[in-house]
Amino acid sequence: MLKTTDILDEKDKRLRQVSKAVSFPLNKKDIDMINDMLEHLVNSQIEEIASKYNLRPGMGLAAIQLGVNKRYFVIAHEQDDKTFNKYVIINPKIVSHSEELIYAGGGEGCLSVNREVEGIIPRFARITIEYQDIDGNTKKLRAREELAIAVQHEMDHLNGILFMDKIDKDNPFKDEDKMRMI
Ligand code: ZN
C-alpha cells in the first residue's frame, strides 16, 4: 500500500523533470508500483476507506509523483455503478484531439498539490492517444470529458508540467466564455 507521504509535493523539483521512455518488459518494481498506485486511487475514491486512512481523492497518478521518472501513469475512473475503469498508460502520444476545449468547473485537483487552486485549465474535450499497456502491447484510447481531462493532466506530469502552470496568473478565468465547463 502507498503512503500519502510517498507522493511528492508540488515544491519538490523532481516533479519538474521530463520523464524517460519506458522499455519492456517492465521490471517487478514497476509492476508492483503500478498496482499500488491503482489501489491507492481506488481507495481514495471510496469514502469509508478514504476517511479511515485520511486519503485525498484522486483519479490519476503519474510515476514521477512517486519520484520515478518514467513515462507512465494510471487512472482509476469511477463509473455510475460505482465500479472503476482502470487504465495503465505507458509511453503515451496524442494521435488526435478535438478543437473544442473544456475545463473542470470545480478546478483540477492533484495529489501533489495540497491546496485549492482557482482558475481555468483549458483541455481538449476529446483526445485519442496511442500508448503501451503493462505487457508492452500498443493500444489506442479515445477519451472524452472527465477522462480526457485526466489523461491530459497526467500526460503533463510526464513533461514536468503541473496544472497550475496553465492558469493565467493575471486573469485566472480568462477565456471562460470560449470553453465548455464540465
Ligand atoms: Zn497531478
Side-chain angles (χ1 to χ4, degrees), residues 61-78:
L61 195 57
I64 192 63
Q65 290 179 273
L66 296 171
V68 174
N69 69 334
K70 296 184 178 183
R71 299 188 80 78
Y72 68 82
F73 61 82
V74 302
I75 289 175
H77 188 208
E78 191 175 12

Side-chain angles (χ1 to χ4, degrees), residues 43 48 79 90 115:
N43 285 342
E48 312 92 83
Q79 304 297 295
I90 304 170
R115 61 190 169 100

Side-chain angles (χ1 to χ4, degrees), residues 60-62 65 108-113 153-154 157 161-163:
L61 195 57
Q65 290 179 273
E108 283 183 29
C110 179
L111 292 174
S112 294
V113 181
H153 176 116
E154 297 310 323
H157 273 303
I161 296 165
L162 297 178
F163 75 92

Side-chain angles (χ1 to χ4, degrees), residues 1-37:
M1 211 167 156
L2 281 188
K3 295 191 296 294
T4 305
T5 48
D6 293 334
I7 300 174
L8 303 185
D9 179 78
E10 59 176 307
K11 289 177 209 76
D12 196 304
K13 295 240 180 335
R14 285 174 286 176
L15 285 175
R16 295 311 190 165
Q17 296 175 47
V18 175
S19 293
K20 296 193 167 73
V22 176
S23 52
F24 289 88
L26 296 185
N27 62 40
K28 188 178 180 300
K29 219 174 141 193
D30 284 309
I31 293 169
D32 288 348
M33 194 171 102
I34 284 167
N35 289 325
D36 286 349
M37 289 161 79

Side-chain angles (χ1 to χ4, degrees), residues 151-164:
V151 166
Q152 290 166 81
H153 176 116
E154 297 310 323
M155 283 184 77
D156 280 347
H157 273 303
L158 306 187
N159 294 320
I161 296 165
L162 297 178
F163 75 92
M164 319 74 92

Side-chain angles (χ1 to χ4, degrees), residues 52-66:
K52 184 173 170 194
Y53 294 102
N54 199 21
L55 308 176
R56 287 203 305 127
M59 72 180 274
L61 195 57
I64 192 63
Q65 290 179 273
L66 296 171

